[in-house]
Amino acid sequence: MSSTGTASMTYGIAAVDASGRVSERGVLRALGWRTGDRVRVWCSRNAVIVRSCVDGELAVAERGRVPIPSLLRERCAIRPGDRVLLAGSAEYGVLLVHTMSTVEAMLAQHHAACNGQESGEAL
C-alpha cells in the first residue's frame, strides 16, 4: 500500500481472464467490494475506471472478479491473458486498471524527468 497526497492507494497486478474480468484479492479487500456489489465501468485516455455505485450496470462477480466490457477492453487494447496494474482507492471507491504498456510509458516519462534533474537542472 502506498500513500500519495490525501488518498491512500492499494496496488496489485493481475491477469485478465478469458471473459475479460480481473481480480486481485488484496486490492478488492482494501476497497471493501464483495460479490454482487454494483459498479460502473468506463475508460479514460489511458485507463479503465471502475467506480462503486448502487445503480451501476455491472456487478462484482464471484471470487471478486471485476468485469471489463469487451468494448472497453478493445479501446484500451486489453486482451485475455494480459497482465494489468490495479490501483484502488477505498476513499474514492474507485479502481483504476492500467495496461503494462501504459505503466511502462508513465515510468519512462517519470524517469526521463528524474534524469533531467540529476544532470544539474534545478528542481
Side-chain angles (χ1 to χ4, degrees):
M1 189 173 334
S2 175
S3 184
T4 38
T6 60
S8 178
M9 300 292 287
T10 302
Y11 301 95
I13 295 176
V16 178
D17 74 12
S19 297
R21 297 171 298 202
V22 294
S23 179
E24 204 290 325
R25 291 181 188 197
V27 175
L28 274 284
R29 187 173 29 254
L31 287 167
W33 294 1
R34 299 171 192 240
T35 300
D37 286 352
R38 306 304 294 180
V39 294
R40 180 165 292 135
V41 184
W42 70 97
C43 64
S44 70
R45 195 176 97 218
N46 61 0
V48 171
I49 303 165
V50 185
R51 183 173 299 278
S52 174
C53 62
V54 294
D55 63 343
E57 63 275 3
L58 299 171
V60 176
E62 68 281 348
R63 295 188 306 243
R65 293 180 294 177
V66 176
I68 302 173
S70 61
L71 179 62
L72 300 182
R73 291 193 315 269
E74 187 177 307
R75 285 184 188 166
C76 292
I78 297 173
R79 291 170 295 286
D82 284 355
R83 304 214 22 103
V84 292
L85 173 71
L86 304 178
S89 169
E91 180 178 352
Y92 296 111
V94 69
L95 174 69
L96 305 174
V97 182
H98 292 284
T99 63
M100 292 317 236
S101 60
T102 298
V103 172
E104 289 170 4
M106 288 188 288
L107 287 171
Q109 183 179 14
H110 174 75
H111 289 292
C114 289
N115 286 337
Q117 291 174 355
E118 289 176 11
S119 65
E121 293 181 22
L123 293 176

